[in-house]
Amino acid sequence: MSITQTIIAHMTAMTIALLIDRIIGDPENWPHPVRWFGKWIYWMDSRLNKGAGKRFKGLLLVISMAVLAGVVPFLFLHALYGVHFIAGVLVEGVMIATTISTRSLSEAAYKVQKPLQLGDMEKARYEVSMIVGRDTDRLSEGEIARATVETVAENTSDGITAPLFYAFIGGGALAFFYRAINTCDSMVGYKNDRYFLFGYFSAKTDDVLNYIPSRLTAVVMTAANVAKSPYSLGHVTSLIKRDAKKHPSPNSGYGESAVAALLGIQLGGLNTYKGIESNRAKMGEPLIPLQAGHIEQAVFIMKRTVYATWLLYLLLGGVISAITYTWS
């Protein structure tokens, strides 16, 4: 395909993916690539994460993901486009839809917010435990809201805009590869005794892949939401610049600091993991106490960011197509 045809294919597939995600999301009983990735990672972990050379064995995991989740889908789509353009676009749209999670992330957040608003703390703590790794059995309303808002903020990039970034530049195959590496990082990318060596390349590859998307997401998030925020553009951007790099992750702080600045809340602080305290850097200023309503506001920020990202790629695709057409 020509560059223009490729751009049209990717943009159409991304649009189809966003529609599929909006309409049906990720039904629990449907087959899903992330589950397949997880099974493969578990299989590799159980067989390779032992003995000497764990870091090299972890590299083999990343290479295997590049083949299974990148090369194989690319060859499959290439063959399908050779059969029929529309068939290729439709299948690619379905593939990209499996890499994004706007609806499922929204639903998970609202499952926490509803009981929290009704004062059912036990139910709210249970629901938030489904989406965070910290201890939740003693969290207050504000801490439950913080945990949920942080999850929405971080996963706006990891779970939606980053896959769309890679779908734009490399189609469904590259979005698949990104999602596979992100799954590797979430399963083995820990700095503990078991995974410090084996998960090294998974974590570093994920950091590299998220470097541009996380920062671009913060820019788009700010531009798409500052008009709805009571705070000025200068205020929001100054807090992002101040706080984003405080996060222990080189990328996660951008989404969290942007959401915190837009809402006038403070994220970060003391978390507990299996009884062990972890004091995370604070993002934003505590101008408003955290409460259940901030969960819905964070979801709205996420959705505006996602659609603004889609519009940005649509515009970029049009510009690139126009330039390519002029030069041809």
Side-chain angles (χ1 to χ4, degrees):
M1 294 188 294
S2 67
I3 294 177
T4 299
Q5 287 176 319
T6 301
I7 291 172
I8 291 172
H10 290 172
M11 288 308 308
T12 305
M14 287 169 60
T15 304
I16 292 170
L18 287 169
L19 289 172
I20 291 173
D21 183 65
R22 181 180 177 86
I23 295 169
I24 64 174
D26 295 321
E28 290 185 8
N29 297 323
W30 288 24
H32 198 286
V34 171
R35 298 189 187 99
W36 306 338
F37 300 154
K39 289 180 180 179
W40 177 253
I41 295 165
Y42 177 80
W43 188 87
M44 294 284 282
D45 179 23
S46 63
R47 283 156 180 78
L48 299 182
N49 190 12
K50 61 182 79 171
K54 287 185 180 180
R55 183 172 291 187
F56 174 73
K57 292 173 182 176
L59 176 60
L60 294 179
L61 170 61
V62 173
I63 293 172
S64 72
M65 279 303 191
V67 175
L68 294 175
V71 176
V72 172
F74 173 81
L75 294 175
F76 171 70
L77 284 172
H78 181 74
L80 197 58
Y81 273 109
V83 174
H84 200 286
F85 182 82
I86 294 178
V89 168
L90 291 175
V91 172
E92 188 165 24
V94 173
M95 287 176 62
I96 296 170
T98 65
T99 69
I100 59 178
S101 55
T102 312
R103 178 168 176 147
S104 61
L105 185 56
S106 301
E107 290 173 346
Y110 286 138
K111 282 182 179 179
V112 178
Q113 183 189 20
K114 289 177 182 178
L116 194 58
Q117 289 178 321
L118 295 173
D120 188 347
M121 298 298 291
E122 184 176 348
K123 177 67 172 174
R125 288 170 181 145
Y126 169 77
E127 292 296 346
V128 78
S129 73
M130 296 293 101
I131 59 174
V132 300
R134 71 195 69 174
D135 300 337
T136 62
D137 55 320
R138 296 182 181 179
L139 294 185
S140 64
E141 176 184 348
E143 289 300 299
I144 292 172
R146 175 169 74 86
T148 309
V149 170
E150 287 172 352
T151 298
V152 172
E154 180 177 353
N155 284 286
T156 296
S157 180
D158 287 1
I160 312 167
T161 56
L164 289 178
F165 173 82
Y166 286 105
F168 176 70
I169 63 176
L174 201 54
F176 246 45
F177 171 67
Y178 165 79
R179 202 73 179 94
I181 294 300
N182 191 245
T183 306
C184 283
D185 180 58
S186 67
M187 290 183 67
V188 303
Y190 299 104
K191 294 181 179 179
N192 56 27
D193 291 341
R194 178 172 176 79
Y195 292 118
F196 184 77
L197 293 175
F198 184 73
Y200 176 84
F201 283 106
S202 291
K204 292 301 181 183
T205 305
D206 185 72
D207 286 345
V208 170
L209 290 177
N210 276 299
Y211 187 88
I212 294 175
S214 63
R215 288 154 179 78
L216 180 60
T217 296
V219 172
V220 176
M221 184 178 283
T222 301
N225 291 280
V226 72
K228 296 286 185 178
S229 172
Y231 309 103
S232 68
L233 177 62
H235 173 81
V236 172
T237 54
S238 66
L239 289 184
I240 295 171
K241 290 178 181 178
R242 186 193 74 182
D243 295 339
K245 294 182 180 180
K246 294 178 182 178
H247 200 283
S249 162
N251 303 311
S252 297
Y254 287 87
E256 288 190 25
S257 61
V259 169
L262 288 163
L263 294 180
I265 59 176
Q266 189 170 75
L267 301 177
L270 184 64
N271 298 332
T272 305
Y273 300 89
K274 296 181 179 180
I276 300 174
E277 292 185 349
S278 174
N279 208 345
R280 295 294 179 91
K282 294 180 179 179
M283 308 277 166
E285 298 287 349
L287 303 176
I288 302 174
L290 270 156
Q291 53 192 322
H294 285 119
I295 296 174
E296 184 174 41
Q297 292 179 43
V299 170
F300 287 160
I301 288 174
M302 173 193 68
K303 289 182 177 179
R304 293 188 200 105
T305 303
V306 171
Y307 297 127
T309 298
W310 174 76
L311 287 172
L312 172 63
Y313 292 145
L314 193 66
L315 177 62
L316 286 175
V319 170
I320 294 170
S321 295
I323 293 172
T324 303
Y325 177 80
T326 303
W327 286 355
S328 62

